Amino acid sequence: MSDLGDQVKGVILGLAAGDVHGAPFEGDFAARTLWKFIGKTRSGERRWTDDTQMSVDLAESLLECGGLDVEHLSQRFAASYAWSRGYGPGAAKTLKALKRGVPIKEAARRGFPDGSWGNGGAMRAPILALWPWENQRELLRRSHESASITHAHPEGQDGAWLLAHATSLALEHVDASAVWLALVEGLQSDALHAQVIRAAEVFGGQGDPMARALDEFGTGMSVRTSCVTAIFAALWFRDRAFGDLLKCLRSRGGDVDTLSAMAGAVWGGYRGASALPQKLLEPIEQRTHLEFIADRLAAGMVNRQSHRGARTEPT
Ligand code: AR6
Ligand code: MG
């Protein structure tokens, strides 16, 4: 398999592995107890949550439509909705409304009139980096559009852009210091802009930068308390073991599955699926289907790469 093919698969399997291995540690005692009962399939595999489900929906919709079709994607999200996947309460209201035929713009404000600033738009956004858009501007636009179905708030959409952007930089093997510089581009929220600038300082700082990042950037359900932490962790553990990344992200509780899914996707983008430990991949629900989707997306990316390469070769 080409390096890029392995990296594309690394994004999808890293995301799913983060999700399924983070889910048992998510939330309060009641949530963790419930997951003990519903967290496995009949054949004993680890069930994924809304993070992977919405990522699969997005990947399949891109492949079926040959790009982003917001209406198609919204119906795909709505059809896949199941309470037992642990969707956020705002997203659940939106998806049920979409299923009843409520128009997207109206449905997106059913949970919160000002739109959701939860991390649900961000958690699926790494998939957008696996599509051969014309340029980064198009990736930015598509990140906002794909998030807007459930996340009408600008911060919900900034979160999607941050994760799509970080994943695309991972595929290019961009160094951490250059990643932080790049990530300030295109953000609408001053608070997130300031967080990214601060993250660059903390990353290069003294003491235990990773622990400081968890303290400063959070482990919660909102974009403001999760996206920068997840990207930080992926960069921090980039040359270390995937299992250590997951251990770190479960150390403080909170939205463990989504933090791990987002960080896992970016880590997988750098290191590729071949660096993911088999024992963490084997128990994932529908793993062969995830690999099938990854192969189809990878074919599109590799194709683009060879076209671009061909264009720049001397004649
Ligand atoms: N006003 C007040 N609270 C808000 C607002 C707002 N405008 N927006 C978000 N919240 P939600 P998600 C808070 O429900 O982003 C799942 O585990 C509010 O407490 O839109 O799709 C996923 O896997 C709300 O319940 O869901 C993710 O990990 C929460 O943020 C996570 O939940 C989440 O927003 C978020 O998923
Ligand atoms: Mg979650």
Side-chain angles (χ1 to χ4, degrees):
M1 188 187 296
S2 72
D3 286 352
L4 183 57
D6 189 44
Q7 287 175 279
V8 168
K9 198 172 272 187
V11 171
I12 293 187
L13 293 180
L15 189 153
D19 181 17
V20 308
H21 295 292
F25 301 94
E26 195 205 338
D28 57 14
F29 178 73
R32 293 199 303 271
T33 307
L34 176 64
W35 197 250
K36 275 192 186 142
F37 290 101
I38 64 169
K40 291 219 170 128
T41 64
R42 279 200 194 128
S43 47
E45 292 155 325
R46 284 179 181 253
R47 289 184 71 224
W48 62 48
T49 76
D50 56 335
D51 303 58
T52 308
Q53 182 60 56
M54 293 189 112
S55 299
V56 167
D57 291 337
L58 175 54
E60 289 176 343
S61 181
L62 286 170
L63 288 163
E64 262 175 62
C65 301
L68 185 68
D69 178 330
V70 172
E71 190 61 46
H72 183 273
L73 178 60
S74 70
Q75 285 309 315
R76 177 60 64 106
F77 283 158
S80 297
Y81 172 77
W83 74 269
S84 65
R85 295 275 186 204
Y87 287 77
K93 282 189 188 150
T94 295
L95 298 178
K96 285 181 201 162
L98 286 170
K99 213 172 199 169
R100 290 195 303 274
V102 175
I104 296 174
K105 283 214 164 108
E106 211 184 310
R109 293 181 190 271
R110 281 289 159 95
F112 306 100
D114 54 341
S116 172
W117 34 247
N119 59 17
M123 70 197 184
R124 59 193 189 238
I127 300 299
L128 291 165
L130 310 182
W131 193 259
W133 309 112
E134 264 313 303
N135 51 41
Q136 292 287 67
R137 268 200 318 282
E138 195 182 6
L139 179 62
L140 167 64
R141 189 155 58 84
R142 300 307 190 184
S143 303
H144 288 179
E145 285 172 2
S146 80
S148 69
I149 298 168
T150 46
H151 291 70
H153 195 284
E155 273 187 19
Q157 297 174 20
D158 269 353
W161 165 234
L162 271 176
L163 263 298
H165 197 185
T167 308
S168 77
L169 297 168
L171 295 178
E172 308 269 349
H173 293 295
V174 174
D175 276 347
S177 54
V179 168
W180 296 122
L181 271 180
L183 287 183
V184 294
E185 297 297 325
L187 292 172
Q188 306 167 94
S189 152
D190 291 342
L192 283 169
H193 193 274
Q195 260 191 22
V196 171
I197 291 172
R198 175 71 189 137
E201 278 169 26
V202 174
F203 199 89
Q206 301 293 312
D208 185 347
M210 188 62 237
R212 177 163 291 179
L214 291 168
D215 290 340
E216 286 197 28
F217 310 126
T219 57
M221 280 200 291
S222 66
V223 164
R224 271 203 213 188
T225 60
S226 62
C227 291
V228 169
T229 312
I231 295 166
F232 194 108
L235 294 171
W236 188 255
F237 284 93
R238 180 185 160 176
D239 298 317
R240 304 167 209 214
F242 185 74
D244 291 343
L245 167 68
L246 299 191
K247 223 180 277 167
C248 167
L249 289 174
R250 77 170 78 113
S251 65
R252 304 283 175 102
D255 194 2
V256 180
D257 57 348
T258 299
L259 279 154
S260 306
M262 295 190 292
V266 177
W267 190 99
Y270 276 110
R271 298 282 301 275
S274 51
L276 290 163
Q278 274 306 316
K279 75 170 194 313
L280 293 182
L281 295 182
E282 268 155 23
I284 300 175
E285 168 188 11
Q286 297 180 52
R287 182 161 67 108
T288 46
H289 184 56
L290 295 177
E291 291 186 355
F292 172 73
I293 291 171
D295 285 340
R296 291 190 59 201
L297 288 170
M301 294 291 283
V302 170
N303 220 345
R304 175 187 66 170
Q305 199 182 46
S306 53
H307 272 89
R308 295 211 167 146
R311 260 189 266 149
T312 52
E313 265 167 32
T315 46

